[in-house]
């Protein structure tokens, strides 16, 4: 053999001629090697099936209210502006807000939370049997030493803008209805708050009523503001200043404190003279709830009357004592002269 053939690379050599049996054996061996190399049945665990999103339990039964509702500090109305409050911001206020980085960060955090909030969350919380009832109202009043305060809400009434609920509620026993939308307002109407106030009035007591229409959606808010005339025709004139249209002020923390868990449901709160929540109801009333509300209103009104009579009696006794001392002093002065 020549030297050139011995130095020829193996790849340039002519292919070997294999028989059909050898070729089939090589193909079968190659098939086993590929199967062992790419098979995942023994080395990689099977991929778990995606978990289905649990459907909301719309057949749950609301539990009785077992905690006081409200904020741990008394409400404070907003400071009064020296100029007339028209409900609109001035150009200087808008310029100051645009140049405030802290306000931009707070607005960004608020929008992030709002975007992360499911749109149909409140609808999914509506139970079929109880129509979204968040809790069962208590049969007794919450004791005054354990009761918490209703937060101050600022909004427009049917007669003025920039009003605070605290200024209207403080100093008298009040029923507060909080709702958003027609369906929730109809639930509040089932409690018969006007009838309750009428019963107390016939017995010589007095209880006020305040309606808080929460409209956080800008479009719906302006629609309600446009049709305030129809609300005035539907509501007595004495209640125009006690019907609030609120757009802001109910964040998640305030909602949880109030027990206002579902904006599609109506809520009723019974407050004492210091704006403390002594009783609360949600959704449409069930058996025994409306009777508990009437008993609670009567008791708070009776306690308020006794407290007022005690204050008046104490004032008269003080006046008599002071007058007696004055007469004795006068007699002494006359005897000395």
């Amino acid at each position: 053999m020549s030297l050139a053939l011995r130095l020829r690379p193996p790849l340039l050599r002519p292919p070997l001629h294999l028989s059909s049996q050898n070729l089939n054996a090589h193909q079968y061996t190659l098939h086993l090697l590929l199967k062992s190399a790419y098979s995942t049945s023994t080395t990689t665990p099977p991929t778990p099936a995606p978990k289905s999103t649990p459907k909301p339990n719309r057949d749950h039964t609301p539990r009785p209210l077992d905690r006081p509702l409200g904020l741990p500090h008394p409400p404070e109305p907003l400071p009064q502006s020296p100029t007339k409050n028209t409900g609109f911001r001035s150009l200087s206020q808008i310029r100051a807000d645009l140049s405030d980085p802290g306000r931009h960060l707070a607005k960004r955090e608020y929008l992030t939370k709002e975007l992360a909030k499911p749109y149909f969350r409140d609808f999914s919380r509506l139970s079929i049997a109880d129509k979204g009832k968040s809790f069962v109202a208590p049969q007794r009043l919450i004791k005054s030493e354990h009761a918490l305060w209703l937060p101050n809400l600022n909004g427009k009434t049917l007669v003025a803008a920039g009003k605070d609920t605290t200024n209207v509620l403080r100093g008298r026993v009040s029923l507060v209805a909080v709702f958003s939308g027609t369906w929730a307002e109809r639930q509040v109407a089932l409690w018969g708050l006007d009838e309750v106030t009428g019963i107390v009035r016939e017995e010589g007591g007095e209880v006020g009523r305040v309606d808080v229409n929460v409209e956080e959606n800008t479009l719906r808010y302006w629609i309600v503001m446009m049709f305030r005339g129809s609300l005035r025709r539907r509501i007595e004139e004495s209640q125009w200043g006690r019907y609030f249209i609120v757009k802001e002020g109910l964040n998640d923390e305030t909602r949880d404190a109030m027990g206002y868990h579902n904006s599609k449901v109506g809520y009723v709160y019974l407050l004492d003279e210091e704006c403390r929540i002594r009783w609360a109801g949600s959704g449409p009333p069930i058996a025994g709830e409306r009777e508990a509300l009437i008993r609670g209103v009567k008791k708070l009104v009776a306690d308020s009357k006794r407290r007022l009579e005690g204050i008046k009696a104490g004032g008269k006794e003080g006046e008599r004592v002071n007058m007696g001392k004055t007469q004795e002093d006068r007699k002494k002065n006359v005897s000395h002269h």
Side-chain angles (χ1 to χ4, degrees):
M1 181 179 296
S2 65
L3 182 60
L5 290 176
R6 286 199 303 269
L7 297 177
R8 188 176 183 182
L11 295 176
L12 298 179
R13 294 177 184 177
L16 299 176
H17 295 283
L18 301 175
S19 61
S20 60
Q21 293 181 354
N22 293 335
L23 183 60
N24 293 334
H26 283 291
Q27 290 178 350
Y28 182 72
T29 304
L30 181 62
H31 172 70
L32 293 178
L33 291 174
L34 293 174
K35 183 177 180 181
S36 62
Y38 291 97
S39 177
T40 59
S41 60
T42 57
T43 58
T44 306
T47 304
K51 295 182 180 180
S52 59
T53 304
K55 295 182 178 180
N57 184 13
R58 302 188 65 186
D59 296 327
H60 72 280
T61 302
R63 298 180 179 181
L65 184 64
D66 56 355
R67 66 178 180 89
L69 299 180
L71 297 179
H73 52 82
E76 291 294 338
L78 297 179
Q80 296 293 331
S81 175
T83 59
K84 185 178 180 180
N85 191 354
T86 59
F88 296 95
R89 294 185 300 169
S90 62
L91 293 178
S92 59
Q93 292 175 339
I94 295 175
R95 191 182 304 108
D97 293 341
L98 292 176
S99 59
D100 186 5
R103 187 179 180 88
H104 291 308
L105 291 176
K107 186 69 173 179
R108 187 182 302 172
E109 293 178 359
Y110 171 76
L111 293 176
T112 302
K113 292 180 180 179
E114 289 297 318
L115 290 175
K117 187 185 302 182
Y119 181 77
F120 294 99
R121 182 187 64 178
D122 291 342
F123 288 101
S124 63
R125 292 177 177 176
L126 297 178
S127 59
I128 297 175
D130 299 297
K131 298 180 181 179
K133 197 175 188 66
S134 301
F135 52 83
V136 177
Q139 291 297 312
R140 296 181 179 179
L141 294 177
I142 300 173
K143 294 183 178 180
S144 59
E145 58 267 21
H146 300 303
L148 302 178
W149 287 268
L150 184 77
N152 178 68
L153 299 176
N154 182 271
K156 297 181 179 181
T157 65
L158 298 182
V159 293
K163 295 296 182 179
D164 295 296
T165 56
T166 303
N167 294 331
V168 178
L169 297 172
R170 184 174 291 169
R172 64 186 304 183
V173 179
S174 302
L175 288 168
V176 181
V178 182
F179 53 88
S180 177
T182 305
W183 196 62
E185 188 176 4
R186 290 175 180 173
Q187 287 186 345
V188 170
L190 296 175
W191 291 89
L193 300 184
D194 291 336
E195 298 177 4
V196 175
T197 56
I199 293 173
V200 175
R201 193 179 299 111
E202 291 176 358
E203 297 181 358
E206 185 179 359
V207 58
R209 175 181 176 177
V210 173
D211 294 294
V212 179
N213 187 353
V214 181
E215 296 294 347
E216 296 179 327
N217 184 280
T218 304
L219 179 59
R220 290 180 54 183
Y221 173 79
W222 286 112
I223 290 176
V224 173
M225 295 300 296
M226 289 173 58
F227 289 93
R228 280 185 297 177
S230 61
L231 291 175
R232 292 193 186 99
R233 290 190 294 270
R234 185 164 54 91
I235 300 174
E236 296 181 2
E237 187 175 356
S238 59
Q239 288 293 118
W240 288 1
R242 306 175 68 86
Y243 187 99
F244 287 81
I245 305 172
V246 177
K247 186 178 183 296
E248 298 177 351
L250 282 175
N251 52 24
D252 292 339
E253 290 77 11
T254 305
R255 288 174 179 270
D256 292 339
M258 294 175 54
Y260 186 67
H261 300 300
N262 197 331
S263 61
K264 309 303 177 186
V265 179
Y267 292 82
V268 176
Y269 301 93
L270 175 59
L271 274 62
D272 59 11
E273 297 171 330
E274 299 180 9
C275 300
R276 292 178 297 191
I277 301 176
R278 306 293 300 275
W279 185 93
S282 66
I286 59 177
E289 285 188 327
R290 193 168 180 273
E291 290 76 10
L293 172 61
I294 296 175
R295 290 196 303 268
V297 172
K298 289 182 179 181
K299 187 176 187 309
L300 282 184
V301 171
D303 293 344
S304 177
K305 289 176 64 177
R306 284 196 298 268
R307 191 180 304 109
L308 184 60
E309 291 174 357
I311 293 174
K312 291 181 178 180
K316 290 180 179 180
E317 291 177 358
E319 290 177 359
R320 287 197 296 270
V321 171
N322 293 333
M323 290 177 64
K325 289 182 179 179
T326 304
Q327 291 177 357
E328 291 178 359
D329 294 338
R330 289 176 179 175
K331 290 180 181 180
K332 291 180 180 179
N333 293 333
V334 171
S335 62
H336 286 301
H337 288 292

